[in-house]
Amino acid sequence: MSVETQKQTLGFQTEVKQLLHLMIHSLYSNKEIFLRELISNASDATDKLRFEALARPELLEGGADLKIRVSFDKASKTVTIDDNGIGMSRDEVITHLGTIAKSGTADFLKNLSGDQRKDSHLIGQFGVGFYSAFIVADQVDVFTRRAGLPASEGVHWSSRGEGEFEVATVEKAERGTRIVLHLKPAEEEFADGWRLRNIIKKYSDHIALPIELPKEHYGEEKDKPAEPEWETVNRASALWTRPRTEVKDEEYQEFYKHTAHDFEDPLTWSHNKVEGKLEYTSLLYVPGRAPFDLYHREAPKGLKLYVQRVFIMDQAEQFLPLYLRFIKGVVDSNDLSLNVSREILQKDPVIDSMKSALTKRVLDMLEKLAKDKPEDYKRFWSAFGQVLKEGPAEDFANREKIAGLLRFASTHDATGEQSVSLADYIGRMKEGQDKLYFLTGDSYGQVKNSPHLEVFRKKDIEVLLLTDRIDEWMMSYLSEFDGKQFVDVARGDLDLGKLDSEEDKKAQEEVAKAKESLLERLKGVLADQVAQVRVSHRLTDSPAILAIGEQDLGLQMRQILEASGQKVPESKPIFEINPQHPLIEKLDAEPDEDRFADLSHILFDQAALAAGDSLKDPAAYVQRLNKLLVELSA
Ligand code: ADP
């Protein structure tokens, strides 16, 4: 044992304590993953070393033979994971193995329920990494030295996984990190060559560098070699460099878990080698669920970038558009230079053409998923649909393709779920229908009963119901699909085209003429509030309705802008009446101008309420209504 100096006892950050507690109590049914996590870290550490050594070859200290060694000692009940990667300095040890750097961690931990089954699911989503050592160990010792620092600047970190850890400076001849797990009494089974070999084969076969175990020694104890002989137990080649036909699904899945730090299987993946003017390999995955920080601005996104098999960076964001930020995976280029930086990536035209090719790959992969595995696509949609909806605005060139991937709630689907595709809709279109009708609003419950749907219900025409916050904004970027125009049924002068018969149209014109004086009277009363008053052909049951002007902002966009403190341009709705409705007939026959005005205001306010808007002067509305009620009962 070498001399330890500068000993220090430090407390874990609160979040680490919570995470440790949770992990130990939630992940006991899947204990063996600790090894996957530690090997995954060791592999990342060698990637980092290789990358830093591109600029500073002296970091390799003469040893470029990168590997991971896993050993065990049955007598002392330990398992040891050794790597000759980048290692850590004392400061790095204190931050990396004492805190959690992810943004949103505290919020995430607040969501935990205390229900172990549910929480283990959540914690898998969060990723546990190094701290998973404490699932099987009641004491963990880390010996590490950062490549490039002298042997005297090794660090010993030690903890029992409770509230605190110790750090001390020690001599460490080899660079890299050694992690010694002192197994809990119940976990001694892990100090076993056969067990460790199986776990490595199962979870870490895809790791690109050799993982070695001591060769099993059979026969006489006295013949056992003094130094263990090592043998490589994994395949030790970068998975994405192998031909697709030779990689098993399980291997793709394990590789995903390593790269994405996810615990669950991906929904699907796409592995491609591109040759020709540009040469690169990509392996892209669609995760099975949203990460806890999907909507965090600083949440990690982007692909792992390799250049000729050398790891260059995590989170290379330049290869996919933002609306596909949930995609995980690897891209390995033969054309980029090894000293490529984020700044260079931003300017390089090579990246642009890779980006458009990769974007297309992802969209194709999603199309295929939707076609071949509708149940999985449903899962995809509920996890990432909202993000994909940013697509039409961000990616003009692929609008049509993205639109085909969207899913909607609809008047012709009783589940209320977002499950109808535009292809489904088009397949059900009525004879003579050449438009795609939709309605936006706050909630499914509200739009489903909107008076705007009355005429569509009567004619049995399907209307898509859009109630996500992003929908109105998204639709402002989608004008057509498959050569057919989108029409917001709450907007402008609804023209049903061939869906209205000639007689219908004639009748509408005649009614409009007959009601001209009523329209004039209404305009007089509501002049301040409306842009126009006209006869509606949207309604069958309701007396009146508000339509949005063709160029005006809808309610949803107005509310979003207002909430973000922006000035919203003034716009007045169009007030439409249903001349067949008894209330409108009554209104038309009302000789008393005061009562006419009261009734008009009430109808206008009711139409605003039905549209999901709030009233400018709710008290006045209540007063007028009460006045009428009193008269009625008098
Ligand atoms: P994550 O890997 O998700 O960042 P971990 O808790 O597993 O989270 O590890 C925290 C950090 O500790 C890593 O990001 C890395 O910087 C450092 N680390 C862990 N294991 C090693 C290792 N074997 N060699 C060097 N650094 C390591």
Side-chain angles (χ1 to χ4, degrees), residues 400-497:
E400 181 90 358
K401 234 172 152 47
I402 300 165
L405 293 168
L406 300 175
R407 294 293 179 270
F408 304 91
S410 151
T411 50
H412 283 42
D413 181 272
T415 63
E417 282 169 23
Q418 296 183 5
S419 60
V420 175
S421 71
L422 291 174
D424 297 335
Y425 181 95
I426 290 171
R428 296 196 283 250
M429 272 172 36
K430 287 272 167 263
E431 173 117 15
Q433 181 179 350
D434 58 357
K435 304 257 185 332
L436 311 168
Y437 295 105
F438 71 95
L439 175 63
T440 60
D442 271 347
S443 68
Y444 176 72
Q446 179 228 321
V447 289
K448 174 177 75 146
N449 296 320
S450 165
H452 282 290
L453 297 176
E454 286 174 11
V455 67
F456 292 91
R457 215 172 283 131
K458 184 174 139 202
K459 293 178 184 283
D460 192 33
I461 301 168
E462 181 164 11
V463 178
L464 300 171
L465 304 174
L466 279 67
T467 53
D468 286 332
R469 255 176 85 84
I470 189 173
D471 283 341
E472 195 185 309
W473 178 77
M474 172 184 73
M475 291 312 293
S476 70
Y477 290 90
L478 278 181
S479 51
E480 55 174 57
F481 178 77
D482 193 27
K484 297 165 187 65
Q485 257 184 309
F486 281 106
V487 171
D488 180 345
V489 304
R491 197 174 274 281
D493 191 6
L494 184 68
D495 177 8
L496 291 177

Side-chain angles (χ1 to χ4, degrees), residues 287-299:
R289 58 180 172 182
F292 77 99
D293 53 2
L294 182 63
Y295 292 101
H296 265 268
R297 228 209 254 260
E298 315 91 84

Side-chain angles (χ1 to χ4, degrees), residues 36-80:
R36 171 184 84 192
E37 299 292 305
L38 297 177
I39 287 178
S40 184
N41 279 348
S43 159
D44 289 347
T46 58
D47 270 349
K48 281 182 207 153
L49 174 69
R50 207 175 298 149
F51 173 66
E52 287 193 22
L54 292 173
R56 297 172 57 205
E58 69 276 13
L59 289 183
L60 292 171
E61 301 171 18
D65 184 14
L66 302 178
K67 58 175 163 278
I68 301 169
R69 280 183 167 169
V70 180
S71 54
F72 59 94
D73 184 333
K74 277 195 202 290
S76 62
K77 305 176 183 76
T78 56
V79 170
T80 299

Side-chain angles (χ1 to χ4, degrees), residues 41-42 45 48 83 86-88 96-97 102 128-131 177 261:
N41 279 348
K48 281 182 207 153
D83 70 65
I86 192 74
M88 286 176 270
H96 294 329
L97 309 185
K102 293 179 205 179
V128 291
F130 169 77
Y131 301 105
T177 303
H261 294 275

Side-chain angles (χ1 to χ4, degrees), residues 599-633:
L599 206 52
S600 305
H601 281 294
I602 287 173
L603 283 170
F604 176 83
D605 284 349
Q606 283 183 343
L609 288 174
D613 206 351
S614 52
L615 299 182
K616 304 254 155 18
D617 188 353
Y621 169 74
V622 172
Q623 257 170 24
R624 288 192 187 105
L625 193 63
N626 287 349
K627 203 165 124 197
L628 276 185
L629 289 174
V630 169
E631 282 175 16
L632 240 161
S633 50

